[in-house]
């Protein structure tokens, strides 16, 4: 993997995304969602996307709008249904978007496996449930287990707190969630960060995602998209997305 | 049981009493995951000196209570996406590590809500089976199957009066044979390969429970009927 590129805008960092690409989008709800990179994806125009993300958008956030505008052919996620997931709900009910529902731990491990070069693994999670129907299973050490395949992606979009000059990343609190494993699982990984610091400024002991996994970084100091309040569902992510209305 | 006085045991438990009853069975120093909904109430009844460490599957150990107004950090949320705080000794980790912790049997106790539990310990808590519902599972299946001990906390009856402890679950399963104990407002049950046993009753009797649930229930441990 070649050296990390530092881009001047989210769109430049995103680069070319082909129609039909598989795109991993980090975040657990708004926490850790790379909102500006998803806005760039809206702007960039790729369609027929397979999106791998824990949720399927909240309110008018950029992921929800990607779905609303018919750019997503399939969602791979664990928890699409939210009180404010109306764009996904409508697209799912109309058949416009296909859903592969995956238990959250299996989703995480399938992503991790891809990054680690593991083709598939057996896990007890889901055995005997509707989500294991049609899947190969085997009894291992006395426990029934389900075969789950790795999930690879063409592009991963993640949000970290800081990057250094070689693309090492550190995250902030529970916003870390899917970032490290998605960055490793995609052929091309793009990180938006609050701050880029010089090489040597991050404690090597504290680096969470080594720069080898990171292809492009964009510094977005004025990130307003993750502001939440204790009022459920309130988020200014919608304001960011609303700004892209003319683009799609 | 120290949290409950004798009078309380002669009537069904309130939600707070039920949470206290669940908390009373959690050993000091345990690593615990509390599911979304009713189980979150258990946190209010864990003594701060108990050394119990709460896990939230979105990537944290050492989760603290809700923040004061004005101290909300958008990067610090629980599995229900509600703002929380960190306690001394907290740690953060990514999703695969968080679920390895769960799936690898490192979490001592997981307390989950349920739509239905079977006498053999099958759990149904992720889908109402409604044909037009948008499905969502989250970490429910991993939590149910992965923890060293999975217990359920629920009302014994639905709002319509239907039993939630059943011979066989009719709703889509979350896990097979994964639940070992069921805490309800009317009784505590042990469930498993040998069927359901009454551990304790609240304002009802063993015989009344059998009639209510239309089940044959084993006696409390160490007691004959």
């Amino acid at each position: 993997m070649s050296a990390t590129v530092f881009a001047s805008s989210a769109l430049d960092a995103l680069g070319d995304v082909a129609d039909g690409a598989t795109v991993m989008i980090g975040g657990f709800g708004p926490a850790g969602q790379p909102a500006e990179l998803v806005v760039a994806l809206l702007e960039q125009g790729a369609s027929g996307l397979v999106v791998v993300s824990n949720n399927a958008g909240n309110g008018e956030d950029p992921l929800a709008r990607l779905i609303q505008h018919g750019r997503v052919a399939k969602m791979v996620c664990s928890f699409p249904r939210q009180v404010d997931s109306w764009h996904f709900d409508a697209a799912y009910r109309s058949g416009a978007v296909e859903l592969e529902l995956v238990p959250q731990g299996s989703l995480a491990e399938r992503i991790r496996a891809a990054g680690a070069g593991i083709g598939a693994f057996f896990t007890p999670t889901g055995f005997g449930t509707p989500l294991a129907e049609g899947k190969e299973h085997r009894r291992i050490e006395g426990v029934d287990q389900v075969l789950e395949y790795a999930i690879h992606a063409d592009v991963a979009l993640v949000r970290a707190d800081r990057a250094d000059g070689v693309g090492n990343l550190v995250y902030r609190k529970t916003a870390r969630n899917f970032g490290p494993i998605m960055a490793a699982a995609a052929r091309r990984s793009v990180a938006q960060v609050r701050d880029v610091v010089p090489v040597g400024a991050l404690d090597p002991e504290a680096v969470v995602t080594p720069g080898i996994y990171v292809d492009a970084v964009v510094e977005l100091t004025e990130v307003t998209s993750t502001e939440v309040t204790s009022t459920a569902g309130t988020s200014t992510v919608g304001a960011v997305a609303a700004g892209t209305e003319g683009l799609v | 049981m120290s949290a409950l006085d004798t009078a309380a045991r002669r009537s069904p438990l309130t939600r707070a009493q039920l949470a206290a009853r669940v908390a009373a069975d959690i050993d000091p120093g345990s690593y615990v995951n509390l599911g979304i909904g009713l189980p979150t109430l258990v946190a209010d009844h864990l003594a701060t000196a108990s050394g119990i460490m709460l896990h939230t599957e979105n990537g944290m150990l050492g989760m603290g209570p809700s923040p004061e107004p004005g101290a909300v950090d958008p990067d610090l949320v629980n599995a229900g996406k509600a703002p929380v705080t960190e306690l001394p000794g907290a740690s953060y980790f990514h999703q695969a590590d968080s679920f390895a912790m769960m799936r690898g049997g490192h979490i001592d106790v997981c307390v989950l809500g349920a739509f239905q539990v079977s006498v053999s310990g099958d759990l149904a808590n992720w889908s109402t089976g409604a044909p037009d519902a948008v499905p969502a599972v989250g970490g429910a299946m991993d939590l149910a199957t992965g923890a060293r001990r999975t217990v359920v906390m629920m009302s014994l009856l639905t709002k319509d009066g239907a039993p939630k402890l059943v011979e066989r679950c009719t709703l889509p399963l979350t896990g097979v044979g994964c639940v070992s104990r069921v805490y309800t407002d009317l009784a505590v049950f042990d469930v498993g390969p040998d069927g359901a046993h009454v551990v304790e009753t609240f304002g009802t009797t063993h015989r009344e429970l059998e009639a209510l649930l239309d089940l044959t229930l084993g006696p409390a441990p160490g007691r004959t009927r």
Side-chain angles (χ1 to χ4, degrees):
Chain A
M1 186 157 291
S2 52
T4 306
V5 170
F6 290 80
S8 57
S9 72
L11 196 57
D12 284 347
L14 179 71
D16 195 31
V17 178
D19 289 348
T22 297
V23 181
M24 288 178 175
I25 299 178
F28 182 81
Q33 190 186 72
E36 281 71 13
L37 287 173
V38 184
V39 170
L41 185 58
L42 269 163
E43 194 175 340
Q44 186 265 348
S47 64
L49 299 172
V50 176
V51 171
V52 182
S53 192
N54 191 59
N55 306 104
N58 294 82
E60 300 297 325
D61 78 8
L63 175 53
R65 291 178 57 82
L66 205 61
I67 295 164
Q68 179 197 8
H69 289 277
R71 305 273 291 282
V72 179
K74 180 179 176 183
M75 280 299 312
V76 181
C77 63
S78 86
F79 213 90
R81 185 186 65 231
Q82 308 267 284
V83 289
D84 56 355
S85 61
W86 45 77
H87 289 313
F88 174 81
D89 296 359
Y92 174 75
R93 291 205 167 101
S94 74
V97 63
E98 185 189 340
L99 170 66
E100 180 179 345
L101 190 71
V102 185
Q104 197 173 333
S106 292
L107 180 67
E109 191 62 16
R110 289 175 65 188
I111 294 167
R112 194 196 74 80
I118 295 165
F121 57 89
F122 281 97
T123 174
T125 294
F127 178 82
T129 77
L131 297 190
E133 277 168 20
K135 291 182 178 172
E136 203 175 322
H137 56 89
R138 191 181 295 182
R139 180 170 274 252
I140 299 171
E141 293 179 338
V143 180
D144 291 312
Q145 312 206 20
V146 181
L147 183 65
E148 295 280 8
Y149 287 89
I151 303 175
H152 296 269
D154 297 298
V155 185
L157 308 180
V158 305
R159 196 185 91 208
D161 189 47
R162 284 181 295 160
D164 69 7
V166 296
N168 292 318
L169 303 179
V170 293
Y171 299 80
R172 214 176 149 267
K173 303 184 186 284
T174 58
R176 180 183 307 193
N177 56 65
F178 285 89
I181 53 175
M182 286 183 170
R187 283 198 295 117
R188 191 178 133 73
S189 296
V190 184
Q192 69 171 73
V193 300
R194 180 184 58 82
D195 193 18
V196 175
V197 299
V199 173
L202 293 182
D203 177 359
E205 295 282 7
V207 168
V208 176
T209 296
I212 189 170
Y213 296 123
V214 183
D215 296 276
V217 169
V218 60
E219 184 184 42
L220 297 166
T221 49
E222 295 293 317
V223 173
T224 56
S225 60
T226 56
E227 201 176 300
V228 293
T229 69
S230 53
T231 309
T234 303
S235 164
T236 57
V237 171
V240 174
T244 67
E245 187 134 75
L247 302 168
V248 292
Chain B
M1 279 310 299
S2 57
L4 297 173
D5 59 25
T6 311
R9 279 184 257 168
R10 285 203 295 263
S11 57
L13 300 188
T14 63
R15 287 155 58 99
Q17 287 170 331
L18 178 56
R21 178 64 189 86
V22 174
D25 278 355
I26 298 176
D27 293 333
S30 296
Y31 288 94
V32 176
N33 184 295
L34 301 176
I36 296 170
L38 199 54
T40 57
L41 298 180
V42 174
D44 300 337
H45 301 274
L46 298 173
T48 43
S50 65
I52 290 170
M53 188 81 92
L54 293 181
H55 172 256
T56 181
E57 63 266 26
N58 54 313
M60 179 187 194
L61 275 170
M63 176 173 65
S66 304
E68 297 297 320
V72 169
D73 183 336
D75 287 341
L76 183 45
V77 296
N78 66 13
K81 304 187 177 74
V84 291
T85 51
E86 66 183 28
L87 297 177
S91 55
Y92 297 107
F93 29 83
H94 63 62
Q95 282 292 280
D97 277 351
S98 187
F99 279 94
M101 221 169 264
M102 177 60 67
R103 291 152 62 114
H106 306 280
I107 302 293
D108 296 299
V109 183
C110 182
V111 184
L112 296 173
F115 299 142
Q116 287 178 328
V117 183
S118 81
V119 295
S120 62
D122 294 352
L123 173 66
N125 78 346
W126 70 281
S127 169
T128 58
D132 63 333
V134 175
V137 64
M141 291 183 180
D142 308 284
L143 298 173
T145 307
R148 212 169 287 172
R149 190 157 68 89
T150 298
V151 302
V152 158
M153 175 182 179
M154 66 180 191
S155 59
L156 187 55
L157 305 177
T158 66
K159 287 196 186 88
D160 300 330
K164 294 165 71 175
L165 179 67
V166 294
E167 184 67 37
R168 183 180 292 267
C169 294
T170 53
L171 294 174
L173 288 185
T174 306
V176 178
C178 54
V179 177
S180 57
R181 181 165 278 195
V182 183
Y183 297 87
T184 76
D185 47 346
L186 295 177
V188 177
F189 305 89
D190 277 343
V191 294
D194 303 328
H197 296 255
V198 179
V199 176
E200 201 175 335
T201 60
F202 310 115
T204 185
T205 65
H206 191 126
R207 202 172 292 277
E208 285 169 351
L209 285 169
E210 287 193 320
L212 186 67
L213 302 173
D214 193 22
L215 290 174
T216 303
L217 301 168
R223 287 169 57 181
T224 51
R225 293 181 64 187

